Amino acid sequence: MNMQNDAAAAAKVLLGTGYETTVDVASTLDPAIKGSVTLSLPSGKDLARIAVIQHGLREGRPLEELDMLSGGTIVALSTLAVVVRKAPDWWYRTEGEGKNAVRIPAPELLLDQQLVWHVWGRYVSFRES
């Protein structure tokens, strides 16, 4: 066995990139919203990013103060914003222009909540497998 390959594989697992799955999705509301989404297990750094995004979506309120649907939606959106590694353009919002433009995951902007919950369900199933 090659120790370098073992170390690289361990690093991928540690970073969450060793465990990915790709799912095909399609919106029932908008035929233009379709494509493949690649999901990955989160690393420790990813979990911290999820917490920061979640805090922003909660607008500083403690999660316990929100109703179950709102709290669950925030958990799903913040997690998907990080664990979706590759997706079509509709998954992102763009900040800046030209060479300074940056694509930022923005599942919270999607109007098709069924699509969001479908991606969330696929992520949860993958995570639990």
Side-chain angles (χ1 to χ4, degrees):
M1 294 203 17
N2 185 333
M3 297 277 283
Q4 271 187 330
N5 287 344
D6 290 346
K12 283 184 176 183
V13 169
L14 182 64
L15 294 172
T17 60
Y19 295 101
E20 290 186 345
T21 188
T22 300
V23 297
D24 291 325
V25 297
S27 171
T28 56
L29 294 179
D30 183 348
I33 298 177
K34 62 182 177 181
S36 296
V37 174
T38 300
L39 303 159
S40 177
L41 297 179
S43 67
K45 183 177 179 180
D46 291 334
L47 293 173
R49 287 180 52 220
I50 290 166
V52 169
I53 293 167
Q54 190 179 114
H55 181 75
L57 290 172
R58 287 188 279 114
E59 298 177 350
R61 293 179 192 87
L63 192 57
E64 306 81 49
E65 288 184 11
L66 300 173
D67 62 87
M68 283 185 63
L69 178 59
S70 298
T73 300
I74 288 171
V75 168
L77 291 171
S78 60
T79 302
L80 292 176
V82 175
V83 301
V84 170
R85 305 298 182 178
K86 296 177 196 163
D89 287 339
W90 49 259
W91 187 259
Y92 303 91
R93 64 183 166 86
T94 303
E95 284 191 5
E97 295 180 23
K99 291 181 181 182
N100 296 326
V102 178
R103 289 180 357 141
I104 299 170
E108 72 278 7
L109 299 179
L110 291 171
L111 296 179
D112 188 346
Q113 289 301 297
Q114 283 185 331
L115 178 96
V116 172
W117 288 116
H118 174 72
V119 174
W120 173 252
R122 296 297 299 268
Y123 166 71
V124 170
S125 294
F126 171 67
R127 181 189 67 196
E128 300 300 319
S129 67

